[in-house]
Amino acid sequence: GQQVMQIPQYQHVQEGEDFTTYCNSSTTLSNIQWYKQRPGGHPVFLIQLVKSGEVKKQKRLTFQFGEAKKNSSLHITATQTTDVGTYFCAGNYGGATNKLIFGTGTLLAVQP
Amino acid sequence: NAGVMQNPRHLVRRRGQEARLRCSPMKGHSHVYWYRQLPEEGLKFMVYLQKENIIDESGMPKERFSAEFPKEGPSILRIQQVVRGDSAAYFCASSPPGTPSYNEQFFGPGTRLTVL
């Protein structure tokens, strides 16, 4: 079946350190989306990657989509306390349905 | 333009009661999705609907759960005879018309269901 694995489950960093979370799908994706969820909040869309090998940047955040369209990563440079939250990747396999298969998420804690 | 609206935000039910969760998509959006998030876990897809049609319900439990998105009014997720294991956050998301797989999904604030 379609599965999306995400590591690590939890990451604790000092403010200013970098952070990376990785996503891996069991099968080829149509596209992958990244969401951030603050504690007690709802998922907020960050970005969508569609093309093989695609790299997108949003200020301190860099998103990559693997050549085989089966893996992805999110890298945050110089973390800030506002980056705290859980980061989810969500795979879309295309077809008639638009369901997202969410990864297990990475909880980022940033110590000031 | 108001975002996705869900109500109630918090719902407490006793075992055996019914729970009705409502979702109003963003204006102009015709696709609605329901996801469930158990404590400390990721979101699990439940159902994908368009107006008056269920497109994909592969994530819905076979019994007690149903969903609809009528021509007029909000989408409803209905859970009959709730059990403690139904306690979770239920999120609704919507996306605009067009090729659904390339559209961002906008999430509502969720309904936190607690079953006593």
Side-chain angles (χ1 to χ4, degrees):
Chain A
Q2 296 155 344
Q3 260 192 319
V4 177
M5 305 300 293
Q6 193 173 349
I7 57 169
Q9 276 191 299
Y10 174 77
Q11 184 87 57
H12 181 206
V13 300
Q14 295 284 333
E15 191 172 20
E17 291 182 335
D18 293 356
F19 159 77
T20 305
T21 173
Y22 301 90
C23 234
N24 193 59
S25 168
S26 53
T27 54
T28 302
L29 294 158
S30 171
N31 62 76
I32 194 159
Q33 301 178 20
W34 285 90
Y35 291 80
K36 177 183 178 181
Q37 184 178 26
R38 292 185 181 273
H42 61 278
V44 175
F45 176 83
L46 294 177
I47 208 152
Q48 177 178 252
L49 304 169
V50 178
K51 299 177 184 174
S52 168
E54 190 169 16
V55 177
K56 286 189 177 180
K57 292 193 176 187
Q58 286 180 353
K59 297 183 180 178
R60 295 179 294 104
L61 277 61
T62 302
F63 303 85
Q64 291 189 323
F65 201 12
E67 293 291 338
K69 298 184 72 172
K70 292 176 74 174
N71 56 67
S72 181
S73 66
L74 157 59
H75 180 82
I76 302 179
T77 305
T79 54
Q80 299 175 357
T81 53
T82 52
D83 295 327
V84 163
T86 301
Y87 292 85
F88 291 99
C89 61
N92 189 313
Y93 294 88
T97 183
N98 191 26
K99 67 182 180 186
L100 294 175
I101 306 297
F102 277 80
T104 45
T106 297
L107 173 59
L108 172 63
V110 179
Q111 184 164 356
Chain B
N1 188 10
V4 177
M5 297 174 67
Q6 288 187 251
N7 66 81
R9 295 289 301 274
H10 299 273
L11 183 61
V12 179
R13 284 287 178 267
R14 296 190 180 280
R15 280 179 298 167
Q17 290 184 320
E18 178 180 287
R20 278 186 181 238
L21 287 61
R22 295 174 187 78
C23 168
S24 296
M26 285 182 72
K27 188 176 181 181
H29 286 194
S30 55
H31 304 271
V32 166
Y33 320 83
W34 286 92
Y35 295 86
R36 176 165 64 176
Q37 185 174 34
L38 295 170
E40 311 299 326
E41 292 191 11
L43 287 86
K44 303 290 186 197
F45 168 80
M46 299 181 75
V47 63
Y48 163 39
L49 310 104
Q50 294 179 24
K51 283 286 187 182
E52 300 184 279
N53 285 307
I54 296 175
I55 307 301
D56 182 348
E57 56 181 346
S58 58
M60 286 278 271
K62 294 288 185 278
E63 296 176 350
R64 302 188 298 108
F65 285 72
S66 63
E68 62 176 7
F69 189 17
K71 189 176 180 181
E72 302 291 337
S75 175
I76 307 285
L77 178 67
R78 184 181 175 208
I79 311 173
Q80 295 178 291
Q81 299 175 321
V82 296
V83 301
R84 288 220 174 100
D86 296 332
S87 295
Y90 291 83
F91 290 98
C92 168
S94 72
S95 67
T99 307
S101 60
Y102 290 97
N103 285 330
E104 166 190 349
Q105 294 185 19
F106 295 81
F107 280 79
T111 294
R112 268 91 181 158
L113 173 64
T114 302
V115 179
L116 302 177

